[in-house]
Amino acid sequence: MKETSYLNSVRASYDAVAVDYARLLRAELADRPLDRAMLAAFAECVRRDEGGAGRAVADLGCGPGRVTAHLDGLGVRAFGVDLSPAMVAVARRMYPGLRFEVGSMAALDVADGVLGGVLAWYSTVHTPPGDLPPLFAEFARVLAPGGHVLIAFKAGDEKIRLDHAYGHPVDLDVYRTAPELIADLLTGAGLEEVARLVRQPAGHEKSPQGFLLARKARRDTGGGA
């Protein structure tokens, strides 16, 4: 898949902020009980589902690896993938026992149907809504039948321009997306909605936060009358 200019900007921006991003957000989950609850539900679904149990879980757009490590603590075999080499370097340094790779979540170096879960923890917020369908199709491709995906996103319907973040100049667009649109696009990719949560802003957040858990349908094994 040909890279677009916005991916180049995302990579360069996160390379620039990697160290300070990791420092500033390392403990953020401690103050987000509902976020942790969705991660716990996702991890339990992966562990309990016969299609995903024992399979690896990809944290796509993992950044400095804090949520990858959280998933590992919840008992799933998590590894991280990020577009930013600087973010991956920080993750490897902070969590040397876990696997982190540089790569694009739009074109994963993962075989079809092998993952028990896919996590996109705010990693789709820089993707224009028109580019989400092929992204979600890629998530569905790598999931085993019965596997789960959890998307965390900024809820709304607007684009925010960021020129400065985490103490550095950046070149980023942030998309707030309606939960109904995320759900519809996941359905279009063959992923069935399981649950959703929208919570009010907390801390530095300026918009509601959305979480959508979905599941890849199992293959039809027949056996009907």
Side-chain angles (χ1 to χ4, degrees), residues 25-216:
L25 297 186
R26 184 170 188 174
E28 187 179 47
L29 277 177
D31 295 324
R32 302 287 189 270
L34 294 175
D35 301 23
R36 296 197 311 274
M38 289 301 293
L39 286 167
F42 168 67
E44 183 169 352
C45 285
V46 170
R47 293 196 313 268
R48 291 171 63 91
D49 193 281
E50 64 185 50
R55 296 180 184 267
V57 170
D59 179 8
L60 303 180
C62 64
R66 63 193 177 92
V67 183
T68 321
H70 186 81
L71 287 177
D72 179 73
L74 293 173
V76 297
R77 294 196 300 117
F79 69 96
V81 178
D82 201 275
L83 191 65
S84 162
M87 282 289 194
V88 169
V90 171
R92 289 171 174 168
R93 185 167 64 249
M94 293 180 68
Y95 307 103
L98 299 178
R99 176 164 63 99
F100 297 97
E101 304 169 355
V102 177
S104 171
M105 61 184 173
L108 294 165
D109 186 18
V110 177
D112 294 357
V114 298
L115 297 181
V118 165
L119 175 70
W121 195 255
Y122 295 103
S123 53
T124 64
V125 299
H126 304 301
T127 303
D131 289 347
L132 288 174
L135 195 64
F136 290 168
E138 181 70 350
F139 295 178
R141 178 187 71 80
V142 298
L143 275 176
H148 287 77
V149 58
L150 176 61
I151 312 289
F153 57 98
K154 297 180 182 298
D157 184 19
E158 61 181 320
K159 180 174 75 172
I160 307 298
R161 181 66 185 165
L162 285 185
D163 298 311
H164 195 271
Y166 309 106
H168 299 267
V170 296
D171 179 17
L172 294 170
D173 289 326
V174 178
Y175 295 89
R176 297 174 181 170
T177 311
E180 293 77 13
L181 176 60
I182 297 290
D184 287 347
L185 294 178
L186 288 171
T187 298
L191 299 165
E192 305 166 342
E193 181 177 351
V194 174
R196 71 174 77 176
L197 167 70
V198 178
R199 66 163 175 79
Q200 293 305 304
H204 60 84
E205 297 165 349
K206 295 180 175 61
S207 67
Q209 308 295 298
F211 307 85
L212 204 146
L213 180 65
R215 182 170 175 262
K216 184 174 179 177

